[in-house]
Amino acid sequence: MSASLEQLRRCHLAVDLGAARTRVYVKGAGLVVDQPSVAAVNTRTGALIAVGEFAEKMTGRTPDYIRVVRPVSGGTVIDIEMAQRMLRHLLGDKMRRSLRRKARLRAAACTPHDADPLAQRATVETLVGLGARRVELVDTLIAAAVGCGLPVERAEATMIMVCGAAATQVAVLSLGSIVAAVRMPVGGEAVDHAIVQHLRQEHALVLPSQSVRPLQLALHDNGLTAHGPAATEIHGRDVATGLARSVLVDTAAVREAIQAPLTAVLDGIYSVLRECPPDLVADLVDRGIMMVGGSALLPGLDQMLRRATGMPVHIADRPDVCAVQGLGEMLEGRIEPLVLDPIGA
């Protein structure tokens, strides 16, 4: 974490710019924005038509002159101007006016683990464009661990896995710092893509963007295990004729299709464990892994990890908002700093 707790207490708002959703926490008001990181733009005039949930519903349904864009990818801002415009509309006029009254507006933001300087600069410039005079950056892993109540300040291991839309981050924390961590470019979108490719190759069916999530939800709680439903009906478009068609999808074949991205996640967990001291790994035998992030709710993912690692696997109460809630806890001053008194000579 590059910012100290004292610096974070002086901040007025916290922002979590995710590939799937954008969340804003305002000091004293709580979580005020939790919307998809999507904007719809009129390419003829450059006007912003919609943001958030309404813009997401327009995906795949717009005429040629309306373009649906995602200014954030993998926790990194790839279009600063559009991200600023999206945030302004998501905050609304009333909230922006109240923030402008602050003499020196300070903001905090989550950044992915090992984000390069250009990615960090893009996040800072996005918030400076909203009027922030100073921006503090916090590692997403630390913020999420604080948000789900892990005792990160103690001298014992806690393992957290942040399952995002475009990336998965795994880390072991101790004494308020990251001991070992890895960031993999595999997330919920990779699972969606694997399902889409499987249905195209095996059933010659093209899925609309809104159909992938219902297919995952149809797998229920045991979706990635053999105890899930045997088959699920899915609607799409025939590749050859272009006509609407329904097929009965074998969920066992879907489970097989998504093994590649899930195996990459397991490899990341193993690599982190190999880098940790043996004493910390011993702590994890009882404490296990805490899963946060929107993709942590993928049906049956926790069971698969539990079976593969032999460790307990837990899902946070509200895994999708843990990172921004952790920043909010720091802003409100509810987290006590770790004090290590030096031993006198």
Side-chain angles (χ1 to χ4, degrees):
M1 183 171 62
S2 57
S4 67
L5 285 173
E6 185 60 36
Q7 290 171 324
L8 290 171
R9 287 195 184 103
R10 299 173 186 165
C11 293
H12 303 99
L13 77 156
V15 180
D16 179 17
L17 284 166
R21 298 184 76 87
T22 292
R23 300 176 177 93
V24 180
Y25 185 103
V26 175
K27 193 173 185 177
L31 189 64
V32 297
V33 173
D34 185 2
Q35 293 279 339
S37 304
V38 187
V41 184
N42 187 325
T43 57
R44 295 174 181 171
T45 63
L48 197 62
I49 297 174
V51 295
E53 291 181 355
F54 186 38
E56 189 174 50
K57 291 178 182 177
M58 297 168 68
T59 304
R61 302 172 183 271
T62 60
D64 292 340
Y65 66 92
I66 296 178
R67 187 165 57 99
V68 178
V69 297
R70 293 181 177 271
V72 185
S73 176
T76 301
V77 179
I78 57 176
D79 187 338
I80 296 174
E81 181 185 356
M82 188 55 64
Q84 291 173 349
R85 295 174 68 185
M86 180 185 73
L87 274 172
R88 288 192 195 101
H89 283 78
L90 289 176
L91 282 170
D93 294 336
K94 183 178 179 182
M95 183 58 66
R96 293 210 318 275
R97 280 197 299 269
S98 71
L99 291 174
R100 278 200 296 266
R101 296 192 190 105
K102 311 293 183 184
R104 286 182 60 85
L105 181 64
R106 290 173 174 248
C110 292
T111 56
H113 180 69
D114 283 344
D116 59 73
L118 286 177
Q120 295 180 2
R121 184 178 179 85
T123 302
V124 171
E125 288 188 5
T126 299
L127 297 183
V128 167
L130 292 177
R133 302 291 297 274
R134 184 180 174 92
V135 179
E136 308 291 354
L137 300 180
V138 180
D139 195 305
T140 301
L141 292 165
I142 298 289
V146 171
C148 63
L150 289 178
V152 295
E153 74 284 353
R154 297 181 187 172
E156 52 191 48
T158 54
M159 191 171 195
I160 187 165
M161 185 168 78
V162 180
C163 308
T168 300
Q169 304 173 68
V170 183
V172 172
L173 312 175
S174 180
L175 289 173
S177 299
I178 297 173
V179 178
V182 66
R183 180 169 175 248
M184 300 153 286
V186 176
E189 291 176 355
V191 174
D192 294 349
H193 181 71
I195 294 174
V196 169
Q197 289 297 107
H198 167 74
L199 293 177
R200 187 182 184 96
Q201 293 170 5
E202 298 298 324
H203 300 278
L205 196 73
V206 178
L207 286 187
S209 58
Q210 291 84 0
S211 294
V212 181
R213 293 297 176 183
L215 178 58
Q216 292 181 7
L217 295 175
L219 299 176
H220 302 300
D221 294 336
N222 300 313
L224 302 182
T225 69
H227 305 293
T232 302
E233 187 178 17
I234 195 74
H235 308 281
R237 188 187 71 189
D238 189 278
V239 172
T241 65
L243 299 175
R245 183 162 63 91
S246 299
V247 296
L248 202 61
V249 178
D250 181 8
T251 52
V254 174
R255 289 195 294 270
E256 184 67 26
I258 63 178
Q259 283 306 306
L262 298 179
T263 301
V265 172
L266 279 175
D267 290 343
I269 294 175
Y270 297 150
S271 69
V272 168
L273 292 175
R274 283 194 295 268
E275 293 178 23
C276 283
D279 291 344
L280 292 181
V281 175
D283 291 344
L284 296 175
V285 172
D286 297 324
R287 193 175 297 277
I289 306 170
M290 177 65 76
M291 296 174 58
V292 302
S295 298
L297 299 174
L298 182 67
L301 177 58
D302 57 330
Q303 298 181 40
M304 188 209 72
L305 294 177
R306 193 177 297 119
R307 187 172 62 252
T309 62
M311 295 190 298
V313 178
H314 315 282
I315 301 177
D317 291 337
R318 293 193 62 192
D320 51 338
V321 297
C322 282
V324 73
Q325 289 287 12
L327 282 181
E329 294 284 317
M330 299 177 197
L331 262 63
E332 302 286 2
R334 299 181 187 135
I335 306 299
E336 293 298 325
L338 175 68
V339 178
L340 296 176
D341 293 326
I343 300 175

